[in-house]
Amino acid sequence: MKRKESLFTGIILIYILAFTSCEKYDTDIEGDVDIYLLSQYQTEYIGSAILNEGLVLSEEPAISYSEILKYNSHDFTFKLKQSAIDRIEDKFGSAFAVTVDGEVIYTGYFWAAFSSATVDWIVIDLVLGLEDDEITVQLGYPWLFDEWNIPDKRNDRRILSVFARDKKLID
């Protein structure tokens, strides 16, 4: 009887491993990660959640994939070429979208550390954040309050898969 139970357990284990094991990242992912300014978007009030309806991306990315050198999934930091820094350093208050192959993954605001306004959405601080040609994506400004419900898609599988595919991911 023990032998049958052991054999049955072994078959179940093989089945589980064979059919539930998966790659950490999608190996067949297409497209790139780009960051666009939003030319049209809707919110409930200034500095609040950007609604998914009515989003219109600018024609060209504010930060193209070729300008992103690395992405650190631990601290949500993009290492950028100077050309990208130069293009966004004066975009305080502008809304942006992070996309994969043209699909919006998440939205946020370019913000400034000198602002006294709170933001209950995703923020990239362009004053303190441009050190070492890096920008950090954070939840909320000046920090995340307990009552804010900000969906965290900074490490969306599609984003990580693109960076892993091209060896730009610090994981």
Side-chain angles (χ1 to χ4, degrees):
M1 184 71 168
K2 279 189 171 184
R3 187 170 179 195
K4 284 184 178 180
E5 289 175 344
S6 179
L7 180 61
F8 180 74
T9 302
I11 291 170
I12 295 296
L13 183 58
I14 289 170
Y15 177 82
I16 289 171
L17 291 175
F19 293 103
T20 62
S21 66
C22 58
E23 296 287 324
K24 188 172 182 180
Y25 305 112
D26 297 330
T27 55
D28 61 346
I29 190 89
E30 294 185 16
D32 295 329
V33 174
D34 295 301
I35 302 175
Y36 286 86
L37 293 178
L38 295 177
S39 55
Q40 290 183 352
Y41 61 96
Q42 298 174 12
T43 65
E44 290 183 29
Y45 55 89
I46 294 174
S48 71
I50 296 171
L51 306 176
N52 288 334
E53 301 83 39
L55 292 179
V56 177
L57 304 177
S58 59
E59 287 187 28
E60 297 293 323
I63 302 171
S64 68
Y65 187 63
S66 64
E67 296 173 305
I68 302 171
L69 302 173
K70 296 285 181 190
Y71 176 71
N72 187 322
S73 64
H74 299 288
D75 63 7
F76 316 106
T77 300
F78 292 92
K79 176 82 170 169
L80 304 174
K81 288 184 178 178
Q82 187 61 46
S83 58
I85 299 293
D86 293 343
R87 198 172 313 104
I88 65 168
E89 65 186 351
D90 65 344
K91 300 298 183 198
F92 303 118
S94 298
F96 67 85
V98 175
T99 67
V100 172
D101 197 22
E103 179 184 350
V104 174
I105 306 300
Y106 65 87
T107 58
Y109 297 99
F110 288 121
W111 214 247
F114 56 76
S115 175
S116 61
T118 60
V119 180
D120 63 350
W121 201 239
I122 296 167
V123 174
I124 294 174
D125 185 340
L126 293 179
V127 172
L128 299 178
L130 292 180
E131 300 171 15
D132 301 320
D133 297 333
E134 294 180 346
I135 55 173
T136 301
V137 184
Q138 66 186 56
L139 299 178
Y141 178 83
W143 52 78
L144 181 62
F145 291 95
D146 290 337
E147 61 271 12
W148 291 351
N149 184 22
I150 304 172
D152 190 356
K153 296 183 180 180
R154 296 174 294 177
N155 280 341
D156 183 275
R157 183 180 176 99
R158 293 162 290 184
I159 292 171
L160 298 182
S161 295
V162 169
F163 288 128
R165 175 195 72 199
D166 297 329
K167 297 178 181 31
K168 291 185 175 188
L169 181 63
I170 300 170
D171 192 18

